[in-house]
């Protein structure tokens, strides 16, 4: 590639995301679907943590969590959020911004029950982000719920264990280029299905 050539195409950003994600899955040692999720309180105090991308299509990017967690309470009062992928093996970054909406109960049920038994029980037993006196307390709760659910034959999905979909309004692709003369392209949603894009100074 010549130095003046663009490494980031101006194709549909969702198709470009899918291509880069497939490349990351092939080259990252683990968790290519790990992404930082930034949320904020209504008065703008930010917080950030990692979550796993569990679905992506034209509607957006889906992760699952406990809606009673810190992130859950921020999302409830301020749905604006941002996602960040950084794939070290590829030296690439993707930033995605937009509003979050809860997935349907059917979608959350389907994903919850696709997880292994202990993961389901672990989620049901966790008051995510609340103070815990000892790890033994959590493990005892896991054991107790596992016993009940084993007898019942299933782990009911707690209603507060759910998924959120971020509908992208802006997506930015960054790629490492020689001598830190990096390349960035930002896509902005225009209209319902269209995008405009521009290069940005790195
Ligand atoms: C690689 C990685 C993936 C994670 N994936 C999730 C996830 O998909 N959902 C989730 O609720 N927490 C996940 N966590 C834990 C979160 O980072 C965080 O500790 C937890 O959700 C509580 O965040 P909160 O207190 O800001 O709500 C993950 C952590 C790591 C390091």
């Amino acid at each position: 590639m010549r130095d003046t050539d663009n490494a980031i195409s101006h194709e549909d950003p969702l198709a470009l995301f899918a291509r880069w994600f497939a490349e990351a899955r092939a080259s990252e040692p683990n968790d290519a679907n790990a992404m930082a999720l930034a949320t904020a309180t209504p008065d703008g105090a930010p917080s950030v943590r990692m979550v796993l991308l569990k679905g992506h299509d034209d509607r957006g990017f889906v992760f699952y969590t406990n809606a009673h967690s810190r992130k859950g309470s921020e999302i409830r009062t301020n749905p604006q959020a941002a996602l960040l992928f950084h794939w070290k093996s590829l030296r690439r970054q993707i930033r995605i911004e937009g509003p979050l909406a809860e997935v349907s109960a059917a979608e959350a049920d389907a994903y919850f029950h696709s997880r292994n038994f202990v993961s389901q029980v672990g989620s049901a037993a966790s008051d995510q982000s609340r103070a815990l006196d000892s790890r033994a307390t959590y493990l005892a709760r896991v054991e107790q719920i596992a016993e009940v659910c084993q007898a019942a034959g299933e782990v009911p999905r707690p209603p507060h264990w759910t998924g959120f979909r971020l509908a992208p309004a802006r997506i930015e692709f960054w790629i490492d280029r020689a001598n830190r003369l990096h390349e960035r392209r930002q896509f902005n949603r225009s209209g319902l299905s269209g995008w405009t894009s521009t290069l940005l100074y790195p």
Side-chain angles (χ1 to χ4, degrees), residues 21 30-36 50-53 84-87:
F21 186 40
N30 59 276
D31 292 343
N33 60 336
M35 55 189 184
M50 301 303 290
V51 292
L52 296 176
L53 179 70
L84 176 86
F85 292 88
H86 174 216
W87 293 308

Side-chain angles (χ1 to χ4, degrees), residues 19 44 46 50 65-66 111 118 122 153 172 175 183:
R19 194 152 58 75
M50 301 303 290
T65 193
N66 183 321
Y111 177 65
V118 180
E172 184 200 305
I175 191 164
E183 187 175 327

Side-chain angles (χ1 to χ4, degrees), residues 20-29 32-33 53-54 56 87 90:
W20 279 26
F21 186 40
E23 289 168 14
R25 279 188 184 281
S27 73
E28 285 289 296
N33 60 336
L53 179 70
K54 289 295 175 182
H56 66 97
W87 293 308
L90 297 175

Side-chain angles (χ1 to χ4, degrees), residues 56-192:
H56 66 97
D57 59 23
D58 289 354
R59 294 169 299 164
F61 299 83
V62 176
F63 61 89
Y64 290 89
T65 193
N66 183 321
H68 290 169
S69 63
R70 177 177 175 188
K71 77 181 88 47
S73 66
E74 291 181 1
I75 293 165
R76 196 164 49 251
T77 48
N78 175 7
Q80 293 299 328
L83 301 172
L84 176 86
F85 292 88
H86 174 216
W87 293 308
K88 290 189 180 184
S89 62
L90 297 175
R91 296 176 179 272
R92 291 178 188 174
Q93 168 179 266
I94 301 180
R95 299 165 62 170
I96 306 172
E97 294 158 32
L100 291 167
E102 193 171 343
V103 302
S104 68
E107 214 173 334
D109 281 339
Y111 177 65
F112 184 79
H113 294 298
S114 76
R115 305 170 80 215
N116 76 43
F117 179 77
V118 180
S119 302
Q120 293 181 45
V121 170
S123 300
S126 174
D127 282 337
Q128 194 178 58
S129 312
R130 305 270 158 109
L132 172 66
D133 62 352
S134 75
R135 183 163 172 79
T137 300
Y138 177 49
L139 296 182
R141 217 163 155 178
V142 167
E143 213 167 295
Q144 187 199 352
I145 294 175
E147 231 175 79
V148 173
C149 293
Q150 226 140 25
E154 75 149 4
V155 186
R157 175 178 65 85
H160 55 268
W161 193 96
T162 186
F164 292 93
R165 175 176 283 109
L166 185 146
R170 178 176 294 164
I171 307 183
E172 184 200 305
F173 297 81
W174 180 103
I175 191 164
D176 180 270
R177 300 287 302 260
N179 302 311
R180 300 210 163 266
L181 305 180
H182 305 312
E183 187 175 327
R184 298 170 67 185
R185 181 176 287 279
Q186 187 185 81
F187 293 82
N188 287 287
R189 174 86 76 182
S190 72
L192 270 187

